[in-house]
Amino acid sequence: MTDDSPDVVVLRKSTHGVPVSEYADELRERLPDRDVRHARTPTEERELVADAPVVAGMEIDEALLAEADELELFACAYAGTGHLPLSALEDRDIAVTNASGVHGPNIGEHVVGNLLVFARRLHEGWRRQQRREWRHFRAHELQDSTVTVVGLGAIGKSVVERLQGFGVESIGVRYTPEKGGPTDEVVGFEGPEFEDALARTDYLVLACPLTETTRGLIGEAELKTTPPDAVLVNVARGQVVDTDDLLWALRGNHLRGAALDVTDPEPLPEDHPLWNLENCLITPHCSGHTPEYYSRLADIVAENVRRLDEGEQLENRVV
């Protein structure tokens, strides 16, 4: 490592349509005594990572990793890290952190917004406005309903927090229900308790990571168990829900509606039947967008730079 080696390198890929240079600027504000460089091109990435102890970005492949001789920490800018060469990083004893917690407020708001849309049937009001049709329709109330939140990580907890004051009963689903949580009750991912929770659910919120346990978690059997006037909101991953079974439920009045920020496949093809269902609201995997994204991410990474120097446990460490 030379005297002019960077302390932190921010890789070139942006996210949410916001230039990643803003992320580098946020890090410079929090690390005024450190040399934070923004690698704008593939060549600059290869040159700058060679001597950098910390690299921050959306992704890193094995070819670029091979150039990073001094790397101690890769700070992934996504909550999910399944796209990273984790085995290669672990083999070299390189720590990996993620962006867990960054999305809590915005995705929490996105979920509650969708719950209110279906509770008050605002999507039906929108359709009637488009037709200039002044005709009353019946709505529901969110109050006194049961909201089941699958996944009690940062996003799930944020959803539950934002439901305070709406007068709902809440059920949380997590791998270790004995740890409890912010919901009125907590159950595991399978067995009679999970089935009973589904049977009592008015609004089913999926906010869990995609794992072997959660892949295909919601299929025909589960959709038959939920009441037919229930609503599903998915901000997890599309593969948590069996798409064909979801179509069956939405078309056959086995489910009142669905709000999908994620789909399987994704992007959803233009000719996919989900687009044409009036009881299905689709957003293009954008619930994670927030103008505070880079700011919140920089808070985590700057703190981890300090912890790395002090030999302390890193926040959000996954490897």
Side-chain angles (χ1 to χ4, degrees):
M1 184 178 297
T2 63
D3 292 339
D4 63 348
S5 299
D7 297 303
V8 181
V9 172
V10 178
L11 302 180
R12 72 184 193 276
K13 183 179 179 181
S14 300
T15 190
H16 297 308
V18 182
V20 75
S21 58
E22 295 186 14
Y23 180 24
D25 290 339
E26 294 283 356
L27 283 170
R28 291 186 186 105
E29 286 185 14
R30 290 158 179 77
L31 299 168
D33 299 327
R34 305 300 179 98
D35 183 2
V36 178
R37 309 268 189 96
H38 171 210
R40 300 168 302 162
T41 68
T43 298
E44 287 185 358
E45 284 186 341
R46 290 191 295 271
E47 292 174 348
L48 291 173
V49 302
D51 295 326
V54 178
V55 173
M58 317 300 154
E59 59 191 19
I60 187 170
D61 59 25
E62 294 198 41
L64 186 59
L65 183 59
E67 304 289 336
D69 295 332
E70 304 294 333
L71 187 59
E72 300 176 42
L73 167 63
F74 178 71
C76 182
Y78 293 139
T81 56
H83 62 291
L84 300 177
L86 293 177
S87 296
L89 287 157
E90 190 171 11
D91 288 345
R92 289 186 47 187
D93 199 26
I94 297 169
V96 178
T97 59
N98 69 5
S100 178
V102 169
H103 293 300
N106 44 293
I107 297 185
E109 291 176 3
H110 185 96
V111 168
V112 173
N114 275 300
L115 298 184
L116 290 171
V117 164
F118 274 99
R120 301 306 301 161
R121 295 188 67 200
L122 300 180
H123 53 310
E124 177 60 27
W126 170 252
R127 279 195 292 271
R128 296 190 186 199
Q129 179 182 347
Q130 297 303 103
R131 297 192 296 261
R132 298 177 176 84
E133 180 182 353
W134 185 273
R135 184 165 59 91
H136 290 180
F137 57 88
R138 293 183 177 183
H140 308 267
E141 286 189 0
L142 190 56
Q143 180 171 283
D144 294 328
S145 63
T146 298
V147 180
T148 296
V149 180
V150 179
L152 290 180
I155 292 171
K157 289 177 181 176
S158 179
V159 171
V160 176
E161 179 183 346
R162 280 154 181 77
L163 286 172
Q164 301 301 315
F166 281 100
V168 303
E169 291 292 317
S170 58
I171 304 172
V173 182
R174 67 184 306 176
Y175 288 106
T176 50
E178 62 274 10
K179 291 183 178 180
T183 48
D184 295 314
E185 59 182 286
V186 182
V187 301
F189 273 94
E190 53 190 19
E193 288 188 339
F194 180 60
E195 293 173 356
D196 180 66
L198 290 177
R200 293 183 283 132
T201 295
D202 298 301
Y203 297 92
L204 178 61
V205 178
L206 304 178
C208 53
L210 180 64
T211 66
E212 288 306 309
T213 298
T214 62
R215 186 181 299 274
L217 179 71
I218 304 301
E220 183 177 345
E222 292 73 27
L223 294 169
K224 284 180 178 177
T225 303
T226 56
D229 60 349
V231 172
L232 181 147
V233 179
N234 190 4
V235 291
R237 287 293 184 268
Q239 297 96 320
V240 175
V241 180
D242 185 291
T243 301
D244 291 339
D245 292 344
L246 177 62
L247 269 169
W248 164 82
L250 290 171
R251 284 170 163 170
N253 294 320
H254 301 289
L255 194 66
R256 176 157 60 93
L260 309 176
D261 189 53
V262 289
T263 60
D264 181 29
E266 188 174 307
L268 195 64
E270 291 182 10
D271 61 350
H272 199 282
L274 278 175
W275 287 115
N276 298 318
L277 298 182
E278 290 189 350
N279 58 346
C280 184
L281 304 182
I282 299 171
T283 49
H285 205 151
C286 62
S287 65
H289 180 266
T290 167
E292 303 301 320
Y293 184 82
Y294 287 141
S295 176
R296 293 176 188 150
L297 191 57
D299 286 339
I300 296 171
V301 176
E303 171 61 16
N304 276 337
V305 170
R306 184 195 67 78
R307 293 187 183 193
L308 192 66
D309 286 346
E310 299 298 325
E312 298 176 6
Q313 183 175 350
L314 299 178
E315 183 179 356
N316 286 4
R317 182 164 184 173
V318 295
V319 170

